């Protein structure tokens, strides 16, 4: 197909130009959003949610019951965060998130997705052979841990509540925040001390 020989950047530019010309998109608004997600919104938001859930049992319950409402309590909402479902990792169950179709991701909590999340290999292989892909990414799970793979979409954005690492019992919320990584909230890593 001819269009496959045109680099993606050029296709995106052409598409953007058409949307602007037809008045469907305002470039100033678009630039504002891009700058916001590049500079202000990132995994630190998600880390706040996780640290609060680890230290506040009532919040944890609300978070697992209605993710969208519970993260909005902390002020995190907006595009791609309308329907957030939180999955809790436990010693028995490990959850990991993928978007098989494209790159759906909980922007208000994690910012923009990393390039590996958008990679066709990650998107297809995580479904077929999650243990292998996780091991390649540095997370080897024992056989008795059940792995659950969740496919984010335009309807639902999944977010992983990682296990609180052992030995952090005495730490307050603000000291837990820096331990929580983006990868742990996608489910491709564990939180370490
Ligand atoms: Fe997607």
């Amino acid at each position: 197909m001819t269009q496959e020989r045109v680099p993606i950047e050029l296709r995106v530019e052409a598409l953007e130009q058409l949307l602007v010309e037809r008045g469907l998109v305002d470039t100033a608004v678009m630039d504002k959003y891009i700058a916001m997600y590049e500079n202000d919104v990132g995994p630190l938001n998600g880390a706040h949610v996780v640290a609060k859930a680890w230290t506040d049992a009532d919040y944890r319950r609300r978070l697992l019951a209605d993710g969208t409402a519970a993260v909005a309590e902390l002020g995190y909402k907006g595009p791609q965060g309308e329907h957030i479902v939180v999955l809790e990792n436990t010693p028995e169950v490990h959850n990991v998130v993928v978007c098989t179709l494209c790159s759906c991701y909980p922007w208000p909590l994690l910012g923009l997705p990393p390039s590996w999340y958008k990679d066709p290999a990650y998107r297809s292989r995580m479904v077929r052979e999650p243990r292998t892909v996780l091991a390649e990414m540095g997370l080897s799970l024992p056989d008795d841990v059940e792995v659950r793979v969740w496919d984010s979409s335009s309807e639902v954005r999944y977010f992983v509540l990682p296990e609180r690492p052992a030995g952090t019992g005495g730490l307050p919320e603000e000291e837990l925040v820096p331990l929580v990584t983006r990868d742990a909230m996608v489910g491709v890593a564990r939180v370490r001390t």
Side-chain angles (χ1 to χ4, degrees), residues 7-103:
I8 182 105
E9 292 81 5
L10 288 180
R11 280 187 279 154
V12 169
E13 218 171 278
L15 191 61
E16 185 183 330
Q17 217 173 331
L18 268 175
L19 290 168
V20 171
E21 271 170 21
R22 299 194 180 171
L24 296 169
V25 155
D26 180 331
T27 44
V29 172
M30 215 155 68
D31 287 347
K32 198 189 86 185
Y33 271 118
I34 291 170
M36 184 170 97
Y37 284 100
E38 278 177 351
N39 306 320
D40 304 331
V41 181
L44 193 56
N45 290 0
H48 277 128
V49 169
V50 170
K52 184 164 176 65
W54 282 348
T55 52
D56 179 339
D58 281 338
Y59 183 75
R60 184 181 145 271
R61 268 191 289 276
R62 294 201 296 283
L63 185 67
L64 294 173
D66 184 344
T68 313
V71 304
E73 283 180 38
L74 303 188
Y76 308 137
K77 50 190 163 188
Q80 306 236 1
E82 292 91 346
H83 303 285
I84 288 173
V85 171
V86 179
L87 313 160
E88 185 180 40
N89 280 352
T90 68
E92 294 80 34
V93 176
H94 182 90
N95 297 286
V96 58
V97 183
V98 65
C99 172
T100 56
L101 198 62
C102 41
S103 55

Side-chain angles (χ1 to χ4, degrees), residues 80 98-105 117 151-154 157:
Q80 306 236 1
V98 65
C99 172
T100 56
L101 198 62
C102 41
S103 55
C104 297
Y105 198 68
Y117 186 83
D151 193 0
S152 270
S153 68
S154 54
R157 305 298 157 102

Side-chain angles (χ1 to χ4, degrees), residues 47-189:
H48 277 128
V49 169
V50 170
K52 184 164 176 65
W54 282 348
T55 52
D56 179 339
D58 281 338
Y59 183 75
R60 184 181 145 271
R61 268 191 289 276
R62 294 201 296 283
L63 185 67
L64 294 173
D66 184 344
T68 313
V71 304
E73 283 180 38
L74 303 188
Y76 308 137
K77 50 190 163 188
Q80 306 236 1
E82 292 91 346
H83 303 285
I84 288 173
V85 171
V86 179
L87 313 160
E88 185 180 40
N89 280 352
T90 68
E92 294 80 34
V93 176
H94 182 90
N95 297 286
V96 58
V97 183
V98 65
C99 172
T100 56
L101 198 62
C102 41
S103 55
C104 297
Y105 198 68
W107 289 7
L109 295 174
L110 297 181
L112 299 176
S115 54
W116 55 259
Y117 186 83
K118 298 184 268 187
D119 192 313
Y122 174 82
R123 285 156 41 202
S124 57
R125 290 185 61 224
M126 186 53 90
V127 178
R128 291 199 312 268
E129 42 177 358
R131 279 175 198 278
T132 308
V133 177
L134 287 171
E136 286 169 7
M137 296 178 86
L139 178 61
S140 295
L141 292 168
D143 286 343
D144 59 348
V145 174
E146 183 192 340
V147 179
R148 293 183 189 160
V149 181
W150 300 79
D151 193 0
S152 270
S153 68
S154 54
E155 275 82 45
V156 179
R157 305 298 157 102
Y158 294 105
F159 174 82
V160 173
L161 173 58
E163 273 182 87
R164 182 173 177 162
T168 60
L171 292 184
E173 193 182 325
E174 62 271 20
E175 284 180 42
L176 293 167
V177 170
L179 302 178
V180 185
T181 62
R182 173 197 67 200
D183 288 4
M185 297 180 277
V186 179
V188 298

